[in-house]
Amino acid sequence: MTWQIDPIGIIHSPYSEKFAVPRQPNLVPAGHGELHLLAPYNDPNSVKGLGQFSHLWLLFQFHHIDQNKWRLTVRPPRLGGNKTLGVFATRSPFRPNHIGLSAVELKDIVINNKQVILKLGSLDLVDGTPIIDIKPYLPYCDSYPDATAGYAQTSPEKKLHVVFSDEAQLFLTSQKQNYPELADLIAQVISQDPRPAYKQNNIAEQTYGLTLYHFNIKWKIKNECAMVGDIEVI
């Protein structure tokens, strides 16, 4: 038996590539976004009462993953990428149906000419991610403070100290009006060390690049310090 699921909305976020996306929604406070509902769901009636909730569950499709690629076992980054677990014991995107679940803060609901836009807080979704359902977060039954987690009981520590070159600082100043949180966003994303786990122990100086919004950001790592050098408009 097969089912066809059509998206109800599309995410707009700073993350134009999956390399820079934080591994959980609350790790990069400056990485907020929006959910634009699609017809016929972009009707004010569909979100009536939703503004009474502070947080939402978003079900989404991992659309940057080849739909034919899924695995029975994966190597979670939190375990250093060197221990294998069953896919259902992880949040890996390489899942049979490529469905993800994310809890995000609902900051506001904007209705403009019947276009419904949900303003969201920190999120872990690539720009353009198709959302397949929205459910309100219910604290009394969705939160289990005493729950245990096999390998991710606490938030990961920031791994890198991030500094900006003089050139990068000048560029950020020039973008301050339109992107007031760009410096915070860059620092928060890089401090989590988005590199694959197998590269994170490499102590040699290396240069990396990532894309946020329409900016290409180049940064170098030496020991545990990341220097942001060039930032260019794509």
Side-chain angles (χ1 to χ4, degrees):
M1 181 181 295
T2 61
W3 300 89
Q4 177 177 326
I5 299 178
D6 296 320
I8 63 163
I10 299 294
I11 285 290
H12 293 256
S13 83
Y15 310 113
S16 53
E17 59 181 6
K18 60 187 178 69
F19 172 66
V21 178
R23 294 190 173 99
Q24 299 299 332
N26 61 348
L27 298 179
V28 177
H32 42 77
E34 299 178 347
L35 170 54
H36 292 224
L37 297 188
L38 300 173
Y41 317 107
N42 61 337
D43 186 302
N45 286 317
S46 70
V47 294
K48 185 178 180 180
L50 192 63
Q52 301 174 30
F53 297 89
S54 66
H55 291 73
L56 307 174
W57 289 110
L58 299 181
L59 279 78
F60 63 92
Q61 197 87 35
F62 287 106
H63 69 303
H64 277 206
I65 303 296
D66 187 332
Q67 296 299 298
N68 294 317
K69 289 186 177 179
W70 62 274
R71 302 166 185 165
L72 290 176
T73 60
V74 296
R75 298 175 184 270
R78 285 294 294 271
L79 295 177
N82 54 20
K83 184 176 180 180
T84 299
L85 292 179
V87 66
F88 299 131
T90 75
R91 296 190 175 189
S92 168
F94 295 98
R95 320 185 69 78
N97 290 309
H98 299 87
I99 292 175
L101 176 68
S102 188
V104 301
E105 182 183 5
L106 174 62
K107 289 184 170 293
D108 196 8
I109 299 175
V110 176
I111 299 174
N112 185 11
N113 294 326
K114 288 195 174 183
Q115 173 62 61
V116 179
I117 299 173
L118 306 187
K119 299 279 189 175
L120 306 175
S122 175
L123 75 173
D124 57 348
L125 303 173
V126 180
D127 187 57
T129 294
I131 300 299
I132 59 178
D133 201 5
I134 303 167
K135 297 182 185 295
Y137 180 94
L138 303 177
Y140 87 93
C141 62
D142 290 347
S143 177
Y144 294 87
D146 298 326
T148 59
Y151 58 90
Q153 187 69 31
T154 60
S155 299
E157 296 181 0
K158 293 182 179 180
K159 298 180 179 179
L160 299 172
H161 175 63
V162 182
V163 296
F164 294 88
S165 68
D166 292 341
E167 293 81 3
Q169 289 280 14
L170 285 173
F171 183 88
L172 291 169
T173 300
S174 72
Q175 301 294 323
K176 192 76 173 177
Q177 183 173 355
N178 293 325
Y179 296 91
E181 293 188 294
L182 183 58
D184 290 339
L185 177 63
I186 294 171
Q188 291 168 12
V189 168
I190 295 178
S191 70
Q192 299 293 328
D193 198 347
R195 297 177 299 168
Y198 69 90
K199 287 190 175 183
Q200 293 181 3
N201 293 325
N202 191 334
I203 62 174
E205 182 174 309
Q206 298 181 66
T207 300
Y208 298 89
L210 61 84
T211 303
L212 296 171
Y213 293 115
H214 55 275
F215 302 110
N216 186 28
I217 300 141
K218 297 291 181 63
W219 43 291
K220 292 182 179 180
I221 289 184
K222 188 173 184 180
N223 297 324
E224 294 183 355
C225 182
M227 165 68 80
V228 179
D230 298 325
I231 305 176
E232 300 176 344
V233 177
I234 299 174

